[in-house]
Amino acid sequence: MPSGELDTERAYVDTLYARLDALREEAQQQLELVRRSNPGGTHQNRSERDAFARIYEDRVLQLRQIDERLAFGRLEMKSDGAEPVLHYIGRIGLRDEEQKPLLLDWRVPQARAFYQATAATPLGARARRHLQSQGREIVRIDDEIFDPDLLDGDVSGLQGEAALMATLTAQRTGRMSDIVATIQAEQDAIIRSELGGTLVVQGGPGTGKTAVALHRAAYLLYSHRDRLAASGVLIVGPSRSFLQYIEAVLPSLGETGVVLASVGQLFPGMDVSAEDAPEVAALKGSLEMAQLLGRAVRSRQVVPTEPQVLDINGELLTVPPQLIHAAMQRAWETKKPHNVARVTFNKAAISALSRLLADQLRSHGNTIEDSDQAWLREDLRTSHDVKVALNTAWLPLTPQKLLQDLYARPQWLASLTPRWTAEQRALLLRGRDADFTVSDVALLDEAAELLGESDDLADAHKSERKQQRKRDIENAEQAIRNMGVEGLVDAATLAEGFEAAVERGTTAEIAAADREWAYGHVVVDEAQELSPMQWRLLMRRNPLKSFTIVGDVAQASAAAGTTSWEGALRPHVGDNWRLEELTVNYRTPAQISEVAESMAIAHGVTITRSRAVRASEWPVEIVRATQLAAAVADAVAAEREADAPGTVAVIASESLLPGIHPTLVERFGSHVGRGAAGLSRAIAVLSPQEAKGLEFDAVIVVEPQAIVDEIPRGAAALYVAMTRPTQRLTLVTSGTLPAGIE
């Protein structure tokens, strides 16, 4: 490629960075100006100031996140004029001071040809250019020519896949990088597909499922901002380590307003990572638990078997069981959750008790008028005996207490599960003070659905929030008219920045704290690991059933995970889901994927075959050792010597990690990190579950046969572990290797 072309591109990109810097400075100045302004004494004036401050804060944050690889492509489009029409493609859109486009956001329709044009279907493009950069400087350009007239006999430097290959062979950093510069056609079609309905993206290891899911989230937020800005997007990953791995991708694409959560964080106030034993997780994840919880809640609504004598200010009142049953019947007819229906029960019971008390007082010669009913009801409400009787019949419950009681009271559990075996019940029994696990989160959510709000005040707060939201939108509409910015910002977005009577956070913060929040879209990664109970939880988070679900059923290793998308989704969405498949393996070198696939097939794992786009120079290495920990440390040392800046993962079953981790720390010190902490270190020590969705330059799998033997669906877990490397794979064993490897 002539050096003049490179100089031209460098000069143009320099102008883009100059414009980016100017916009950053302008947004910062606008923010400071708004902060210094005196809004006056009215709530609306303060709301206007705070709302516009929030907009400028978001803009400053967005512009700061965008720097490296600001522009990564150029399209030369067909034109009727003498000069070619050039579209530069980048992470965000930029315009000059006269509002003429300088850089197209990769998500706009005009950028589609950059990802999907081919020689057979150029989509109006004559040529596509990839711009490779280091920092802010363009270091290489690669062209793909679709119009033969542009070749003019010169085909030098036309290496269209160079940008992709450079990305694939680049060293890993412990954080996922975006693929926006190298999205391939089959990936782009999925990213830009319609918002509605449930989309399943199936693909083998290394096919880019996670990258596609995250870029689809960014695309949907950009293309459907009116709908999604207020309701938000929820992205669910399998573990904390996975979330730490991906957390920088969306901000680098200009999006910061999403909720990232592991399955252990999907109930407000919960952030758990402890896993149950496989057989316990399988039981807790089954739909049997939904039925059990329903029976447990109903069993806490108890009709007395005998009449009760209650003391109301010295008056002894005999209450027949039928009175309590009739009040319960009124509550059951509402079909509301336990705690919400309890309000109806209490009102009905107090009314019936007041009539009974009035009749008894009259029988004693007292004169009781209808107007006296109010103080009779107050006497009943404040009576200790009445409180005990009503709470005994219909006790307010929290999800946490319901679950703790269920696990800690074997006789109650036995009464609720007459058809279970003693072995099944034993799986659930534990102390009341035992910590909750990841599997419990879905059960807590199910219990919350059955119970409803336990605090009457919470309903009042929720009503107040709705009223405040209405007032904020009305204020926002007025503010937009006052400031003359119609069309530049919508009222709902502006209202998100208003400071109401109580301090509020961003949409993402509010949504994460509200169990009943309905998200506009939900993205689920490694979805094959979800249990039926976890699917029920997620479906409640999005009543519209607008989902992007990515995974590979061949990699399901969780005891309660799924091996069929139809089996997982049909109970929730029927036939209203569509399947897209990714068929190209961009991560794993061919020689590694061949060994991993051979092992999986030998163990009966149904895999989604994919085509590896490259091979590396390193074959799969097998190390046999008598001293396992020492051999693993030696293998890590060899990897560090071969590729000092690269990342290394040591993956082993949970039983072996306590013996391996201390040896590695002793030898390599602070370079070693366990679990999620390892993603910021050169050497990460992980279980197969923690390694899901991640990638490293080199991977050392310890005792592959132990993974197969000790983990439910162990061959699938080993398949996951073996397909994490982008360059090199080493298997360390002190015994035999699983079938299909040798």
Side-chain angles (χ1 to χ4, degrees):
M1 183 65 61
S3 60
E5 288 284 322
L6 186 59
D7 291 340
T8 298
E9 299 299 0
R10 285 174 173 168
Y12 190 83
V13 171
D14 284 345
T15 65
L16 296 179
Y17 276 111
R19 182 58 178 160
L20 176 66
D21 291 339
L23 290 174
R24 284 176 176 171
E25 180 64 25
E26 180 181 321
Q28 186 64 42
Q29 290 176 357
Q30 289 171 327
L31 174 59
E32 292 172 358
L33 182 63
V34 169
R35 284 173 173 169
R36 290 196 302 266
S37 64
N38 183 355
T42 69
H43 170 73
Q44 180 172 324
N45 289 342
R46 291 193 300 272
S47 294
E48 290 179 12
R49 180 200 60 189
D50 294 338
F52 280 100
R54 172 64 59 81
I55 290 173
Y56 292 133
E57 286 170 355
D58 290 346
R59 181 62 170 163
V60 168
L61 178 61
Q62 179 195 45
L63 293 173
R64 284 177 178 171
Q65 295 283 355
I66 305 295
D67 199 276
E68 195 164 342
R69 292 183 295 170
L70 171 63
F72 50 77
R74 191 192 78 177
L75 284 171
E76 181 173 336
M77 306 301 292
K78 292 180 180 178
S79 170
D80 296 333
E83 294 296 324
V85 176
L86 302 179
H87 292 324
Y88 282 83
I89 314 298
R91 296 170 180 275
I92 60 172
L94 292 177
R95 293 176 177 270
D96 63 16
E97 293 180 351
E98 297 178 355
Q99 296 304 302
K100 294 179 180 178
L102 298 172
L103 183 68
L104 295 182
D105 190 298
W106 66 276
R107 293 166 286 195
V108 302
Q110 298 96 310
R112 177 170 165 261
F114 184 76
Y115 301 106
Q116 296 192 6
T118 64
T121 311
L123 301 177
R126 302 182 70 199
R128 172 169 53 210
R129 172 169 288 180
H130 295 270
L131 309 175
Q132 295 185 47
S133 60
Q134 291 180 356
R136 288 190 166 197
E137 183 178 4
I138 302 298
V139 296
R140 176 180 175 133
I141 55 180
D142 295 284
D143 285 343
E144 295 171 88
I145 304 300
F146 306 128
D147 186 345
D149 293 340
L150 292 179
L151 288 173
D152 199 23
D154 181 9
V155 295
S156 62
L158 303 181
Q159 302 174 29
E161 293 191 349
L164 174 62
M165 298 308 293
T167 299
L168 298 181
T169 57
Q171 288 176 329
R172 268 47 190 175
T173 64
R175 294 289 187 275
M176 184 180 183
S177 60
D178 65 76
I179 61 166
V180 66
T182 57
I183 292 171
Q184 302 302 291
E186 71 170 0
Q187 297 172 328
D188 188 67
I190 295 171
I191 289 168
R192 296 175 190 269
S193 61
E194 63 187 53
L195 170 64
T198 298
L199 169 65
V200 177
V201 182
Q202 163 79 22
T207 53
K209 299 183 296 297
T210 297
V212 166
L214 295 176
H215 287 71
R216 175 162 166 76
Y219 172 77
L220 293 177
L221 282 163
Y222 179 88
S223 302
H224 302 274
R225 192 165 299 278
D226 288 348
R227 170 175 166 181
L228 298 180
S231 57
V233 172
L234 171 65
I235 298 179
V236 180
S239 64
R240 291 176 182 170
S241 57
F242 175 83
L243 296 179
Q244 185 174 328
Y245 177 64
I246 69 170
E247 64 184 356
V249 173
L250 285 170
S252 73
L253 298 174
E255 296 296 345
T256 56
V258 300
V259 176
L260 292 173
S262 67
V263 179
Q265 297 170 315
L266 288 176
F267 188 81
M270 285 288 161
D271 185 2
V272 297
S273 58
E275 297 280 357
D276 284 301
E279 60 274 17
V280 178
L283 177 58
K284 288 183 178 180
S286 69
L287 294 179
E288 186 78 27
M289 293 301 296
Q291 300 172 20
L292 171 58
L293 290 171
R295 295 194 297 270
V297 171
R298 188 62 179 262
S299 75
R300 305 308 290 267
Q301 301 161 7
V302 183
V303 179
T305 57
E306 298 178 351
Q308 298 171 281
V309 179
L310 308 181
D311 184 342
I312 295 94
N313 289 339
E315 186 76 24
L316 298 181
L317 182 68
T318 301
V319 181
Q322 295 85 347
L323 184 149
I324 299 298
H325 183 270
M328 284 186 172
Q329 189 64 45
R330 291 279 300 276
W332 292 332
E333 289 170 356
T334 67
K335 300 186 182 302
K336 292 180 179 179
H338 174 88
N339 290 321
V340 180
R342 179 176 172 270
V343 176
T344 300
F345 164 72
N346 280 342
K347 288 180 179 178
I350 292 292
S351 294
L353 287 171
S354 68
R355 291 192 295 272
L356 185 65
L357 179 59
D359 290 343
Q360 181 168 305
L361 291 173
R362 291 189 185 102
S363 71
H364 294 166
N366 295 296
T367 301
I368 303 295
E369 305 292 344
D370 289 343
S371 59
D372 297 325
Q373 288 293 329
W375 64 261
L376 288 180
R377 284 194 291 270
E378 184 61 25
D379 284 347
L380 289 164
R381 275 192 292 267
T382 58
S383 166
H384 173 74
D385 282 9
V386 171
K387 289 179 181 178
V388 171
L390 296 186
N391 282 341
T392 301
W394 197 303
L395 188 69
L397 293 168
T398 66
Q400 292 85 345
K401 178 169 173 49
L402 180 71
L403 216 56
Q404 288 166 338
D405 286 350
L406 192 64
Y407 293 157
R409 296 173 55 185
Q411 291 182 336
W412 185 39
L413 178 61
S415 71
L416 296 171
T417 56
R419 297 183 181 180
W420 285 27
T421 65
E423 291 75 17
Q424 284 178 298
R425 296 188 194 106
L427 294 175
L428 294 185
L429 293 177
R430 69 184 192 192
R432 192 180 301 276
D433 58 350
D435 292 333
F436 288 115
T437 65
V438 172
S439 298
D440 288 326
V441 169
L443 304 185
L444 289 169
D445 195 76
E446 187 78 23
E449 192 73 8
L450 294 167
L451 295 173
E453 290 280 359
S454 60
D455 188 350
D456 294 342
L457 191 59
D459 291 333
H461 286 166
K462 186 172 293 186
S463 176
E464 170 58 25
R465 286 197 299 270
K466 289 181 179 178
Q467 292 300 317
Q468 185 61 53
R469 169 70 174 172
K470 181 179 179 181
R471 290 193 294 269
D472 285 349
I473 291 179
E474 290 173 353
N475 286 340
E477 291 171 346
Q478 183 61 46
I480 289 171
R481 288 192 292 270
N482 291 346
M483 302 189 73
V485 291
E486 291 90 344
L488 298 180
V489 62
D490 64 276
T493 301
L494 187 58
E496 291 301 325
F498 281 5
E499 181 182 33
V502 294
E503 184 176 352
R504 302 214 309 270
T506 64
T507 297
E509 291 167 342
I510 298 169
D514 186 353
R515 194 195 70 83
E516 297 181 355
W517 187 272
Y519 289 94
H521 192 75
V522 177
V523 177
V524 189
D525 203 354
E526 299 293 346
Q528 74 277 354
E529 302 300 327
L530 295 182
S531 70
M533 290 301 296
Q534 288 165 343
W535 278 115
R536 284 171 66 90
L537 181 159
L538 285 176
M539 291 295 164
R540 286 193 284 268
R541 297 297 186 268
N542 184 258
L544 295 177
K545 305 297 188 289
S546 178
F547 279 81
T548 298
I549 295 167
V550 300
D552 179 14
V553 292
Q555 297 183 59
S557 59
T562 183
T563 56
S564 163
W565 295 124
E566 182 176 5
L569 297 175
R570 181 177 288 276
H572 307 289
V573 300
D575 295 326
N576 187 29
W577 61 281
R578 60 194 191 278
L579 176 68
E580 297 284 354
E581 293 191 271
L582 295 171
T583 59
V584 180
N585 186 335
Y586 298 101
R587 179 206 312 146
T588 316
Q591 62 269 39
I592 295 177
S593 62
E594 288 170 4
V595 174
E597 289 181 358
S598 174
M599 181 281 302
I601 292 170
H603 287 82
V605 178
T606 302
I607 64 172
T608 304
R609 284 195 173 274
S610 57
R611 175 179 60 84
V613 299
R614 65 190 175 92
S616 70
E617 58 187 276
W618 300 280
V620 175
E621 184 175 356
I622 297 173
V623 175
R624 299 187 181 276
T626 55
Q627 299 295 323
L628 198 63
V632 172
D634 288 343
V636 172
E639 286 294 346
R640 299 274 290 160
E641 184 176 347
D643 186 8
T647 57
V648 180
V650 176
I651 303 177
S653 60
E654 292 282 0
S655 67
L656 295 176
L657 290 176
I660 295 170
H661 182 241
T663 301
L664 294 175
V665 171
E666 182 179 353
R667 187 156 175 184
F668 301 103
S670 62
H671 294 294
V672 179
R674 173 72 181 90
L679 299 184
S680 59
R681 313 285 177 83
I683 304 165
V685 182
L686 306 164
S687 68
Q689 175 65 25
E690 291 169 329
K692 277 187 173 296
L694 311 183
E695 59 182 38
F696 305 87
D697 294 299
V699 169
I700 298 166
V701 178
V702 185
E703 288 291 23
Q705 188 62 51
I707 294 176
V708 174
D709 294 339
E710 296 178 15
I711 299 176
R713 302 177 182 172
L718 178 57
Y719 180 55
V720 170
M722 293 177 65
T723 52
R724 298 307 95 195
T726 64
Q727 304 296 340
R728 297 173 297 281
L729 172 65
T730 301
L731 307 177
V732 179
T733 181
S734 61
T736 59
L737 287 169
I741 293 180
E742 290 186 316

